[in-house]
Amino acid sequence: MARADPAASRVLAEAVSGERIGAEEALLLLERADFMELGEAAGEVRRRRHGWFATFMVDRNINYTNVCVTACRFCAFYRPPSSPEAWTLSHDEVVRRVGEAVSMGATQVMIQGGHHPELRIEWYEELFSRVKAAYPQVTIHSLGPSEVVHISRISGLEVEETLRRLKQAGLDSLPGSGAEILVDRVRKLVSPLKESAGKWLEVMERAHSLGIRTTATMMMGHLETPGERVEHLARVREVQDRTGGFRAFIPWTYQPVRVLGGRKASGLSYLRLVATARLFLDNFEHIQGSWLTTGKDVGQASLHFGADDLGSVMLEENVVRAAGAGERSSVEELVRLIREAGFRPAQRDTEYRKIRVF
């Protein structure tokens, strides 16, 4: 059996004691820390913050269109505007789906789509206003920095004014979609028509300044290096130091598609990233583990490697499914998975307030 790296062990001890570790130390953990020692350290920090509770929520991802002009190389969901397979839902249909989700216990909806060249801000304002009028109790956790940048561009508005108007119409929260890896070398390879890493972070910082809280994500396991994963973590930690506006960090694994190719990241590499993130992101209260892209067994294991949340039952999800991740779940199953992992399950809302303890 290989011996634990002494330098990595020292960094783990520092992180567990509450010392802030740097990017070079995080890279050391990601690449060289003993796997079980890393998990134990992250698990200890996680339990110190959240005890033995593990949370989840009920929401619905409503993809309002598959039309997109960005053509990211990892996306199997989008269609160009001229495609016979392109579609856009009506406002009536989106509102209907929100109502259906509410009847199934959802407290949040994620309304997301592509970069549609014809949908200006007025389209979104009407949609959000109608959703809020019909279901004022539902949190609209929707769009994302990339969509905000696109909407502002085709509407002839500054990003801040776009965010103000969307908030006034009913937008409550911004997901971290479109982050991929927040390093421009990688972004130019996988999503060359999207905004830069700096612009993505700027949108989030603007949102935080307007009282719109958000999440931060990472799509790992494609063309990035371990060092670039850590750079991504460092950049969101810097914004969090300034604003405190991120609720959670949510890493998930890239699903290989024909255009970009590659292999799916292993469960072990995913768990190493989750644990390193828990130790490095000392200013993030929550780390969300993924079962949708990694499998439910890895999702369970993530609760012992620093994650305190398993996301949502996902009443509807189409983007990741299009890339081949066909996992589905239910309240009953997530409760069972959490219990089997040795934790106490609780349903939460968008702000991580427990609304039902099992």
Side-chain angles (χ1 to χ4, degrees):
M1 180 181 294
R3 297 178 63 185
D5 185 299
S9 296
R10 285 194 296 273
V11 173
L12 288 173
E14 291 170 1
V16 169
S17 71
E19 290 186 41
R20 169 168 276 201
I21 63 174
E24 290 185 4
E25 294 170 311
L27 182 59
L28 177 66
L29 297 184
L30 190 62
E31 294 189 306
R32 293 167 52 187
D34 175 81
F35 181 71
M36 294 308 298
E37 193 177 347
L38 175 63
E40 288 171 4
E44 182 173 341
V45 171
R46 173 248 192 271
R47 289 189 297 275
R48 192 180 300 156
R49 286 174 176 263
H50 304 289
W52 288 94
F53 278 104
T55 55
F56 67 90
M57 73 179 311
V58 180
D59 79 346
R60 185 171 193 169
N61 283 21
I62 302 172
N63 301 113
Y64 60 87
T65 186
N66 68 344
V67 175
C68 189
V69 295
T70 305
C72 296
R73 294 181 62 204
F74 58 84
C75 183
F77 175 73
Y78 87 93
R79 296 293 183 272
S82 60
S83 171
E85 297 178 333
W87 50 262
T88 300
L89 300 181
S90 68
H91 287 169
D92 286 342
E93 176 59 17
V94 174
V95 174
R96 186 194 70 78
R97 293 191 189 194
V98 173
E100 193 173 69
V102 170
S103 71
M104 298 170 71
T107 58
Q108 171 185 288
V109 289
M110 290 183 69
I111 302 171
Q112 294 183 296
H115 295 184
H116 196 299
E118 297 176 5
L119 301 184
R120 294 165 57 88
I121 193 168
E122 292 81 7
W123 190 91
Y124 298 91
E125 288 176 313
E126 181 182 349
L127 175 61
F128 291 165
S129 296
R130 288 190 56 183
V131 169
K132 278 295 186 183
Y135 304 101
Q137 74 274 33
V138 169
T139 298
I140 300 179
H141 175 67
S142 298
L143 303 180
S146 294
E147 285 169 281
V148 170
V149 170
H150 175 74
I151 294 166
S152 67
R153 183 180 299 123
I154 66 171
S155 302
L157 299 170
E158 295 294 328
V159 164
E160 185 164 331
E161 178 62 18
T162 301
L163 286 166
R164 286 184 188 278
R165 288 178 59 170
L166 291 172
K167 181 183 180 183
Q168 186 173 4
L171 178 69
D172 297 298
S173 174
L174 209 62
S177 53
E180 282 78 82
I181 295 292
L182 293 171
V183 178
D184 285 334
R185 184 197 75 83
V186 180
R187 296 178 77 78
K188 288 175 182 177
L189 293 173
V190 302
S191 50
L193 300 182
K194 268 186 180 171
E195 73 288 344
S196 66
K199 188 67 174 179
W200 189 97
L201 291 160
E202 178 191 332
V203 173
M204 286 303 198
E205 200 153 355
R206 292 286 180 89
H208 297 169
S209 73
L210 296 173
I212 303 171
R213 298 196 73 201
T214 74
T215 56
T217 63
M218 174 193 288
M219 182 180 75
M220 61 158 289
H222 43 97
L223 302 180
E224 84 281 4
T225 66
E228 287 166 334
R229 293 177 189 174
V230 172
E231 184 176 346
H232 179 113
L233 294 176
R235 299 195 77 174
V236 297
R237 188 171 79 167
E238 288 170 3
V239 171
Q240 186 74 333
D241 277 341
R242 291 193 292 271
T243 71
F246 288 121
R247 273 191 224 92
F249 174 67
I250 307 169
W252 54 282
T253 54
Y254 157 71
Q255 304 298 296
V257 294
R258 179 179 56 83
V259 177
L260 188 56
R263 296 180 180 179
K264 185 175 179 178
S266 71
L268 295 180
S269 64
Y270 175 75
L271 292 173
R272 292 188 76 91
L273 186 280
V274 169
T276 301
R278 178 61 287 165
L279 297 171
F280 182 74
L281 297 178
D282 56 351
N283 54 5
F284 275 70
E285 186 64 21
H286 301 284
I287 304 289
Q288 186 181 119
S290 173
W291 55 264
L292 179 65
T293 62
T294 62
K296 291 167 185 172
D297 54 345
V298 177
Q300 285 179 300
S302 74
L303 296 176
H304 291 279
F305 278 72
D308 60 278
D309 183 80
L310 282 185
S312 167
V313 300
M314 295 248 181
L315 298 175
E316 176 184 349
E317 199 291 319
N318 300 299
V319 177
V320 178
R321 187 178 180 85
E327 295 274 7
R328 285 289 182 271
S329 193
S330 64
V331 169
E332 294 73 21
E333 184 178 32
L334 286 187
V335 167
R336 177 181 62 79
L337 291 173
I338 290 169
R339 280 180 173 154
E340 287 179 352
F343 294 86
R344 187 174 186 187
Q347 184 180 342
R348 65 168 175 88
D349 64 10
T350 305
E351 293 291 337
Y352 284 82
R353 294 174 296 222
K354 297 180 182 69
I355 57 178
R356 182 183 179 190
V357 176
F358 295 84

